[in-house]
Amino acid sequence: MVVCIVLIVMVARVLTARYCAMENIPQSPVDSIDALRLRDEVQQMKERIQVLERVITDNHKSVDLDREIERLRDR
């Protein structure tokens, strides 16, 4: 009888530990906070690159270039 009780308690602790460990693991890399932060940072970088490409390829006056640079700095 004592052996059964000890065995039940051990199995319960193992299952509890396994359940707690599974809760702490993100379901997928998409759900992790770091992945979301990096995705946001990449999006911001892409937007800045698009603005810089537009500024370089357009033939506007230097005033427009100054405005674009100031707008990038304000972000």
Side-chain angles (χ1 to χ4, degrees):
M1 187 70 160
V2 174
V3 174
C4 289
I5 293 173
V6 171
L7 184 62
I8 291 172
V9 170
M10 287 176 53
V11 169
R13 285 190 180 181
V14 168
L15 291 176
T16 303
R18 178 185 257 176
Y19 180 73
C20 289
M22 291 179 79
E23 282 184 356
N24 292 336
I25 299 173
Q27 296 298 327
S28 67
V30 176
D31 296 336
S32 72
I33 295 171
D34 288 334
L36 294 174
R37 182 184 56 81
L38 289 173
R39 189 173 290 144
D40 185 47
E41 188 175 337
V42 167
Q43 183 63 32
Q44 289 176 357
M45 291 291 205
K46 285 182 179 180
E47 290 172 1
R48 291 188 75 165
I49 289 172
Q50 286 177 350
V51 170
L52 289 173
E53 287 174 344
R54 190 178 65 229
V55 167
I56 290 171
T57 57
D58 287 349
N59 292 326
H60 294 290
K61 297 179 184 177
S62 64
V63 175
D64 291 339
L65 179 62
D66 291 338
R67 283 188 210 146
E68 291 289 336
I69 291 173
E70 288 301 318
R71 189 167 28 142
L72 284 174
R73 286 183 185 155
D74 291 340
R75 287 187 185 180

